[in-house]
Amino acid sequence: MRHLRPLRRCLCLTAAFFFAAQPVAWAWSGHALCTWDAVGTMPQVVGHSVPAEALTTFLAMEAAALPKVLEEEEQWARTNVPFYAPRPDSLAFKAADGAEPVALKQAFVHAIRVNEDVPFPLYVQRQPGTVAAAGREMAWSALSILKDAGDIDQKRMERVEEGEALSVADVIATATDEPDFGLDIGLFQDNGQKQGALYNFGPQPFGNPLLDYGSQAPFHMGFYHEAGILYKAAPFLQHTYPEARVHLYMTLSRFAFAQGHPYWGWRFAGWAAHYVQDMAQPYHARVLPGVGTVSMLWTSVLDKVGVHGPRIAALNRVTNRHTALENYQKNRMTAALAQGDKDDPLVAALRDTSGDATVQRLQPTTLRDVSSVQSVAAADALDAQVERSFPARYVSDAATNLDGKDADLYALSRQAPAAEQAKLAGLVADRMRQAGRDTRAVIRAVAPDGTEAAQR
């Protein structure tokens, strides 16, 4: 209706203001920390090893079979993923026999539409408390296209050789961090990178395209349960791709297992699990936890008449709380794993299988209909608890720009009253419990029947 147009325009501007400046596009700081204990007792995983295999070896051996698999996957996405931007037919995987490794890799990354400069090295991430073997340390530039490693502990990244036996748990855990190393960077046409002009994703719908990692946001966030009026005002919020990524990598995982490539079966499974774990993070499932639609509208009105403070304060608050939560999770879990403390509430929650019957095998609708629903329900309470659990300068001060490396928020949280510490640990443990459940659901959905075929 005509009288609603100004409201919709104002809401659209509000969302645009918030997301154009929103720098956080990571979910958990260190997905591997969320994975080792989640899968560590699964019969498909525990005690098994697989030989490392280069991506180009896998592609060369399966060049004839991959086109059909990837074309069927593309047709599935076009049919089942709302607002999906179709892959140009010219990018369909067509690898000629005897193609050079560089050409094979480029054909593959174009077909699945990821950043074409990601190196895909053979490496493994060691658990906290250990470091890479001498002489096998990996430089950050050999792992990622991003300039800044953030809070990734590079000392635990270890180069491995093709054919070297690796534990399945380490392969999966290592892979769960990889989508944050650049797979989804620079894919939109306004990102200034070469593949952005090829992939047909259009302009970046939200997130800051000028930030080093900001362009991955639409692939790692899924806003499936906002108010209808917000979608009418800001339809770009629905242009997200976690569902497509999870289904693609699970399809590739099953294919790799079926063709006798267990290493890539598990590595692709780890990639899929990354996005599933992202959906356990409320700041990836809600546009602005703790901020209602009416508040967003009023903030936008004030900003339009020159009162910019409320918008800046709201943006910094949400951004800093997102970052503080990740910092707390990463530092607490790193310390617990390094000390062998399996009873830490966050670590123990990852092993809790009491809710696994809810999601036994991950389905195409799980992210939208189950995982994100639970994260949305937890968002406001967790946001409020973050405010109570950390010093105000880190989570409420509009002048603070918390980048995740400023302080150890786990250490600072211990300055709060014991009751508040326990509440925060319980709420974050609930998020870990969901992440563990859904990670196991990915593994059960892709692993071959029996473990022998998965390890050969």
Side-chain angles (χ1 to χ4, degrees), residues 273-309:
H274 174 99
Y275 303 86
V276 167
Q277 292 174 3
D278 275 354
M279 280 297 98
Q281 160 62 288
Y283 291 98
H284 278 230
R286 274 281 307 277
V287 172
L288 292 171
V291 180
T293 300
V294 173
S295 179
M296 290 174 63
L297 175 60
W298 180 240
T299 297
S300 179
V301 170
L302 292 175
D303 192 79
K304 284 171 66 64
V305 300
V307 183
H308 306 303

Side-chain angles (χ1 to χ4, degrees), residues 412-424:
L412 289 174
S413 74
R414 285 176 283 181
Q415 298 175 7
E420 298 301 331
Q421 293 182 47
K423 289 177 185 176
L424 178 63

Side-chain angles (χ1 to χ4, degrees), residues 376-400:
V376 167
D380 287 347
L382 183 55
D383 181 77
Q385 188 60 51
V386 166
E387 180 181 17
R388 293 192 295 269
S389 295
F390 301 109
R393 65 167 291 216
Y394 293 104
V395 294
S396 300
D397 186 352
T400 299

Side-chain angles (χ1 to χ4, degrees), residues 190-236:
D190 54 349
N191 292 157
Q193 296 195 30
K194 48 186 179 283
Q195 68 272 332
L198 301 175
Y199 285 175
N200 191 44
F201 283 121
Q204 186 174 326
F206 57 83
N208 190 337
L210 301 179
L211 291 168
D212 192 21
Y213 55 86
S215 60
Q216 75 178 28
F219 293 89
H220 296 241
M221 296 177 168
F223 306 120
Y224 306 128
H225 305 288
E226 296 294 339
I229 193 172
L230 188 57
Y231 293 135
K232 291 181 185 298
F236 55 81

Side-chain angles (χ1 to χ4, degrees), residues 107-186:
F108 180 66
V109 300
H110 282 178
I112 66 173
R113 289 192 288 178
V114 298
N115 190 290
E116 62 184 51
D117 293 324
V118 171
F120 303 109
L122 288 178
Y123 74 107
V124 69
Q125 182 173 172
R126 299 303 180 189
Q127 292 203 32
T130 59
V131 295
R136 304 184 81 176
E137 304 89 347
M138 294 284 290
W140 177 243
S141 60
L143 294 169
S144 173
I145 63 167
L146 296 171
K147 301 184 183 103
D148 186 358
D151 56 6
I152 295 293
D153 186 353
Q154 298 176 65
K155 297 188 296 297
R156 295 192 282 111
M157 306 297 180
E158 180 176 325
R159 174 181 53 82
V160 300
E161 302 296 333
E162 187 161 25
E164 184 174 341
L166 303 173
S167 83
V168 168
D170 282 344
V171 173
I172 299 170
T174 299
T176 55
D177 268 327
E178 287 191 280
D180 277 340
F181 290 1
L183 285 178
D184 300 315
I185 296 296

Side-chain angles (χ1 to χ4, degrees), residues 2-204:
R2 184 174 299 173
H3 67 277
L4 288 178
R5 287 177 186 169
L7 173 62
R8 290 176 179 172
R9 187 180 305 114
C10 195
L11 276 171
C12 187
L13 285 171
T14 302
F17 282 145
F18 277 114
F19 279 97
Q22 173 65 279
V24 175
W26 298 50
W28 304 112
S29 291
H31 281 258
L33 300 171
C34 303
T35 306
W36 278 300
D37 278 84
V39 303
T41 60
M42 297 187 76
Q44 300 92 332
V45 174
V46 64
H48 297 294
S49 63
V50 290
E53 181 182 33
L55 177 62
T56 50
T57 300
F58 166 70
L59 295 176
M61 294 180 67
E62 303 306 331
L66 267 172
K68 180 176 183 294
V69 173
L70 291 175
E71 185 56 35
E72 289 175 351
E73 179 64 21
E74 174 63 22
Q75 295 308 314
W76 179 89
R78 293 182 186 187
T79 301
N80 293 283
V81 179
F83 307 99
Y84 181 75
R87 183 215 63 210
D89 291 339
S90 61
L91 297 183
F93 186 76
K94 303 184 189 75
D97 290 341
E100 292 296 319
V102 172
L104 276 173
K105 178 197 166 189
Q106 184 177 71
F108 180 66
V109 300
H110 282 178
I112 66 173
R113 289 192 288 178
V114 298
N115 190 290
E116 62 184 51
D117 293 324
V118 171
F120 303 109
L122 288 178
Y123 74 107
V124 69
Q125 182 173 172
R126 299 303 180 189
Q127 292 203 32
T130 59
V131 295
R136 304 184 81 176
E137 304 89 347
M138 294 284 290
W140 177 243
S141 60
L143 294 169
S144 173
I145 63 167
L146 296 171
K147 301 184 183 103
D148 186 358
D151 56 6
I152 295 293
D153 186 353
Q154 298 176 65
K155 297 188 296 297
R156 295 192 282 111
M157 306 297 180
E158 180 176 325
R159 174 181 53 82
V160 300
E161 302 296 333
E162 187 161 25
E164 184 174 341
L166 303 173
S167 83
V168 168
D170 282 344
V171 173
I172 299 170
T174 299
T176 55
D177 268 327
E178 287 191 280
D180 277 340
F181 290 1
L183 285 178
D184 300 315
I185 296 296
L187 309 187
F188 297 98
Q189 70 181 37
D190 54 349
N191 292 157
Q193 296 195 30
K194 48 186 179 283
Q195 68 272 332
L198 301 175
Y199 285 175
N200 191 44
F201 283 121
Q204 186 174 326

